[in-house]
Amino acid sequence: MEDIRRVSDRVWRMLAAGYAGVRADEDVAVTVVQPDPRRAKALRSAAAALLGREVDAPHTYVELCPDPIAFAVEAGLPAPWALSDLEAVESTWHELAPVPEGPITSISRIASVAECVAADGARLVRVEYQTRFTSMTGDTVGLAVASGIRRDEAVA
Amino acid sequence: MSVSVGLTPGRTFEATTNFPADDDLCRWADGLSSLASVQGSWHSALLRMLVAAWLGPRARIERFSLRVPGSGLVEASLHLGAEVSEVTTTADGSARVRCGLWARSAGGQVVVEGDCEALIDPAGGPGLPIARLEAALRLGEVAGTFTYRIGLNDLEGFAAAIGAPMPSDGVAPPTYFGALDPVERRDIDLDAFLHDLPFPMTGGGNAFNAVEYERPFRAGDVITVRTRYTDVYEKRGSRGTLLFRVRVNEMRDADGALVATSRCGHVLGYRLPSEDS
């Protein structure tokens, strides 16, 4: 993947406006997921050690999709930058219903791409990824939304 | 306002985790997306699980938000916590609870921060009065200090009772650590409050015992035990609502050296009105 830290304004504007050609809300990536028993067990074991008691909590969407940006990119959405270059990552999980039994369909999309200029003149691009989870009956049961900011001092 | 599960603004929950020397973390990382931050995803999922446990079985978390202010840090230990910031009543009588969340390094640096909203299930009916129970048990404070002299005859009697060999060398059997529990010895009783609970009791008993020790007890030891209640929580069980009380006994010898720390859990079952059918 191209390193854009020293790219031209033209390329920067293209990324900011279209996020490497992906149009927000139009391109989606669909996968089928299920809670991983091994990871679920590890998490409950650690929580039990911290709490000093058994934890028999049901699965959560945070457990299913603990890094929503990585999840969406792995599902097939583009990320023209290394994810570690994103700053101020904020993730929100909306739990509309308990995590259902059986396969869960995830539909990821880039919800928005916005460019702005920081007070110090640096260009910023804010990208928001959104993944919707649906049950086998097609009901939306959860939502994971995450945004990250790419700051580019080099082209400021 | 206060809700039936005893959550009020300002109520704080905390836990400290050692990281990353942990087999659980390795199992977590196995199978995780290679793009994901192992540490960040672990903190997020672990904090979400802790919050659910802290808020109790009647709470349904509807929104959970986390921000990572800086780059990922590899820390030896982290303090994970939540503080109830707001409790409001919804139109249908439910309680909506908002909490601030954090993970901080030992030096106080914020690694993760955020907030969440949960709804307390009104169909659950009135729950156990956890806040009042915590006050009655003086949660977190020293509930009592007691001193016991261990005689050889004590150890012989104990060994005979459990079918262990007689301690001719004066060394107590490992299970003798449990014998110096002021609660089990009836030297302290903070449970009177339980008799006033307006719910039928369905059972109860010992839930768990654990001990970490520096050395065994020996005949002639004079041991001072300090007892603290450290946790009170409820869980839904197949036979009603279960009330757990956890206490820690710190046992020191006559020189003040720590000999052992035991952790004991006791459970009582209640049938709440909402569970009558």
Side-chain angles (χ1 to χ4, degrees):
Chain A
M1 186 168 291
E2 185 179 13
D3 181 351
I4 68 154
R5 278 175 294 187
R6 296 188 182 283
V7 300
S8 67
D9 279 5
R10 182 186 63 77
V11 174
W12 178 260
R13 281 195 296 274
M14 181 188 78
L15 287 164
Y19 203 58
V22 170
R23 289 183 294 276
D25 253 357
E26 292 187 15
D27 294 285
V28 299
V30 179
T31 59
V32 176
V33 292
Q34 271 187 289
D36 182 321
R38 188 174 157 85
R39 284 168 47 209
K41 186 175 177 184
L43 194 59
R44 282 151 186 77
S45 167
L50 286 174
L51 294 166
R53 55 174 142 120
E54 185 187 346
V55 173
D56 54 1
H59 295 297
T60 71
Y61 294 99
V62 184
E63 184 184 332
L64 195 66
C65 171
D67 186 333
I69 294 182
F71 184 97
V73 171
E74 179 127 286
L77 292 182
W81 309 306
L83 298 188
S84 57
D85 284 349
L86 290 174
E87 298 177 9
V89 173
E90 179 168 359
S91 303
T92 298
W93 296 263
H94 298 273
E95 307 187 11
L96 309 176
V99 174
E101 297 282 337
I104 300 161
T105 302
S106 73
I107 304 110
S108 299
R109 66 188 179 99
I110 292 173
S112 69
V113 180
E115 182 187 17
C116 63
V117 179
D120 62 2
R123 291 169 192 263
L124 305 175
V125 172
R126 180 181 181 276
V127 186
E128 182 180 287
Y129 291 85
Q130 186 184 92
T131 295
R132 185 164 57 92
F133 298 99
T134 64
S135 66
M136 284 191 289
T137 56
D139 297 320
T140 297
V141 288
L143 203 61
V145 183
S147 63
I149 290 174
R150 174 66 155 85
R151 180 186 184 89
D152 200 280
E153 314 261 7
V155 296
Chain B
M1 66 161 284
S2 174
V3 295
S4 59
V5 287
L7 296 172
T8 52
R11 172 75 190 275
T12 301
F13 304 91
E14 283 190 285
T16 299
T17 176
N18 289 321
F19 186 88
D22 196 334
D23 289 345
D24 292 328
L25 183 69
C26 297
R27 286 199 293 271
W28 171 262
D30 187 25
L32 191 68
S33 162
S34 59
L35 299 170
S37 155
V38 172
Q39 189 166 335
S41 66
W42 174 255
H43 293 151
S44 301
L46 187 57
L47 192 51
R48 167 63 181 77
M49 193 137 290
L50 292 175
V51 168
W54 287 331
L55 296 184
R58 294 165 202 282
R60 186 168 70 80
I61 295 173
E62 294 188 324
R63 181 184 60 76
F64 190 83
S65 295
L66 293 177
R67 295 175 291 282
V68 183
S71 58
L73 297 171
V74 177
E75 292 287 341
S77 68
L78 280 177
H79 302 293
L80 304 175
E83 180 174 350
V84 177
S85 58
E86 190 179 352
V87 182
T88 56
T89 305
T90 64
D92 67 357
S94 305
R96 183 171 294 283
V97 179
R98 187 167 184 164
C99 295
L101 311 170
W102 66 82
R104 297 188 188 116
S105 68
Q109 185 174 359
V110 174
V111 178
V112 174
E113 61 184 355
D115 65 328
C116 72
E117 281 187 20
L119 203 62
I120 304 294
D121 179 9
L128 295 171
I130 297 295
R132 289 168 62 198
L133 287 165
E134 287 176 350
L137 295 172
R138 299 181 223 151
L139 194 72
E141 300 174 19
V142 175
T145 302
F146 304 88
T147 299
Y148 304 106
R149 178 181 297 275
I150 301 175
L152 186 59
N153 59 329
D154 295 323
L155 301 184
E156 289 172 345
F158 185 83
I162 65 171
M166 287 298 168
S168 56
D169 54 358
V171 174
T175 46
Y176 195 77
F177 289 111
L180 295 196
D181 178 9
V183 173
E184 292 295 347
R185 295 171 75 101
R186 305 291 189 266
D187 290 329
I188 181 172
D189 183 6
L190 300 176
D191 287 350
F193 179 80
L194 296 174
H195 302 308
D196 298 331
L197 291 180
F199 312 119
M201 196 180 290
T202 57
N206 189 51
F208 58 83
N209 293 90
V211 62
E212 291 182 26
Y213 60 92
E214 306 294 325
R215 66 167 177 84
F217 286 147
R218 298 186 189 95
D221 273 337
V222 177
I223 301 295
T224 297
V225 183
R226 290 202 314 170
T227 298
R228 276 183 305 125
Y229 279 89
T230 57
D231 202 2
V232 178
Y233 58 93
E234 65 175 316
K235 287 177 75 172
R236 292 279 176 85
S238 59
R239 299 181 62 186
T241 297
L242 305 176
L243 170 66
F244 288 81
R245 293 161 296 148
V246 182
R247 62 186 182 275
V248 170
N249 293 319
E250 184 185 278
M251 295 170 252
R252 293 182 180 274
D253 63 19
D255 296 327
L258 182 67
V259 179
T261 304
S262 69
R263 196 166 170 281
C264 314
H266 191 268
V267 60
L268 290 172
Y270 291 94
R271 191 174 69 251
L272 273 53
S274 57
E275 292 160 346
D276 284 332
S277 60

